[in-house]
Amino acid sequence: EPDWVHLGQDPNGITMNQYFVDNPDMILGEMKVVSGPYGPTPTCEPYEDQPLNDLLTAAIQNIHGQVTEVEFADLESDEEDRSIPADPDVRNFSYTIVDGEIFYRENSRMNPVEVSDTAKNRIKGLIDIRESVRRLIDLQTEDFPDADIQAEQAKLNTLYDDFGEKYGLINSRGNTTAFSSDSSFCLLASLEVLDDDGNFVRKADMFSKRTIKQKVIVQSVDTAAEELDFTVNEDILAQLGIELPADLAAQLAE
């Protein structure tokens, strides 16, 4: 081994790399032992009368070496790009299934996901639950009939129960590890109501109730009580910067 991979001591007994012991002219200052927070500490004190840039320029001239060119194999040539253009219907940073294989969308590309068979089945099951949840949200937002909403709730219950029998809670470690990169994981985790210790308490209301109501714009009121109630709400809306329809504002003004 060359000397510079070892430690040595200079004439003052200061331990340093052997290279600087053998080449003291490459030390751009004076080596001293000073009092440090943990006892005597070696340090390199700068020369007061010699600028560091001049010392560095001179020291560089003492470096003699040879650069050997090395040819590296093209590491990229053996790696096949299996990514595909992103499907606009797939949300960014989400898993999807293409021809039976799992892909993950990241911006404008979707890349295949290499995981174990168990993790693959977990991801596929959670994708099915995710799509059912989103469908249920859309049905409620668009105020579809109760029959449509109840049918999707039944589907969601079946998907969730079947998945739980095989892989446990969505919030379990295994499922969190497999699916936490998906942008909808927090939404799926909220399907389970847990206690402070992380134990399952019940399913979320989405499984059995309408949890989203379509926004309804009030166009008129019929009684003084309704008018009073709406006037109070109008004041709150005004504070929030929400403007009422002109005809309803005129009616309330009367």
Side-chain angles (χ1 to χ4, degrees):
E1 293 180 329
D3 291 340
W4 54 263
V5 303
H6 300 289
L7 293 176
Q9 289 187 342
D10 71 355
N12 296 321
I14 298 177
T15 301
M16 65 182 71
N17 185 280
Q18 185 64 41
Y19 172 83
F20 293 105
V21 175
D22 298 336
N23 300 275
D25 55 329
M26 299 298 284
I27 301 176
L28 309 186
E30 182 179 0
M31 294 300 301
K32 294 182 179 180
V33 176
V34 299
S35 177
Y38 305 104
T41 303
T43 183
C44 184
E45 297 284 349
Y47 297 122
E48 296 182 358
D49 57 344
Q50 300 183 55
L52 179 61
N53 60 334
D54 292 344
L55 293 172
L56 184 59
T57 300
I60 290 176
Q61 305 306 315
N62 296 327
I63 297 177
H64 302 287
Q66 182 178 3
V67 178
T68 303
E69 293 186 2
V70 178
E71 294 185 2
F72 292 92
D74 187 0
L75 300 179
E76 297 182 358
S77 60
D78 297 332
E79 297 181 2
E80 179 184 0
D81 183 8
R82 297 174 54 209
S83 67
I84 59 177
D87 183 341
D89 293 331
V90 176
R91 297 190 183 189
N92 203 12
F93 304 111
S94 296
Y95 291 105
T96 189
I97 300 175
V98 180
D99 296 331
E101 296 298 321
I102 298 175
F103 282 73
Y104 183 78
R105 177 178 177 179
E106 190 168 356
N107 300 320
S108 62
R109 306 292 295 178
M110 297 198 305
N111 298 289
V113 178
E114 300 294 338
V115 294
S116 66
D117 289 340
T118 301
K120 183 181 296 185
N121 290 330
R122 290 177 188 268
I123 293 174
K124 287 183 176 180
L126 290 168
I127 289 175
D128 291 339
I129 295 175
R130 182 193 67 194
E131 295 309 304
S132 180
V133 169
R134 288 179 176 169
R135 172 64 177 162
L136 190 53
I137 291 174
D138 290 340
L139 291 174
Q140 295 182 75
T141 303
E142 300 300 326
D143 198 27
F144 273 65
D146 289 342
D148 293 341
I149 295 175
Q150 291 168 1
E152 192 62 41
Q153 287 173 330
K155 177 182 178 181
L156 177 60
N157 274 280
T158 300
L159 289 171
Y160 177 83
D161 293 342
D162 291 346
F163 180 87
E165 289 181 3
K166 297 177 182 178
Y167 307 110
L169 296 177
I170 293 176
N171 285 279
S172 68
R173 178 177 298 179
N175 294 323
T176 299
T177 301
F179 210 68
S180 60
S181 297
D182 192 277
S183 60
S184 295
F185 179 73
C186 290
L187 173 63
L188 299 192
S190 69
L191 294 176
E192 298 169 339
V193 178
L194 309 177
D195 62 19
D196 293 338
D197 297 323
N199 299 312
F200 179 80
V201 176
R202 61 178 177 84
K203 295 179 182 179
D205 290 343
M206 177 175 283
F207 285 92
S208 57
K209 302 177 182 178
R210 278 181 179 260
T211 56
I212 301 173
K213 292 185 178 180
Q214 188 180 42
K215 181 179 178 181
V216 178
I217 300 177
V218 179
Q219 298 294 340
S220 64
V221 293
D222 298 325
T223 67
E226 290 179 355
E227 180 177 352
L228 176 61
D229 182 56
F230 193 82
T231 301
V232 173
N233 291 329
E234 179 194 13
D235 292 338
I236 297 175
L237 293 175
Q239 294 178 23
L240 296 175
I242 300 175
E243 187 175 346
L244 295 173
D247 55 346
L248 179 57
Q251 180 182 353
L252 292 174
E254 294 176 358

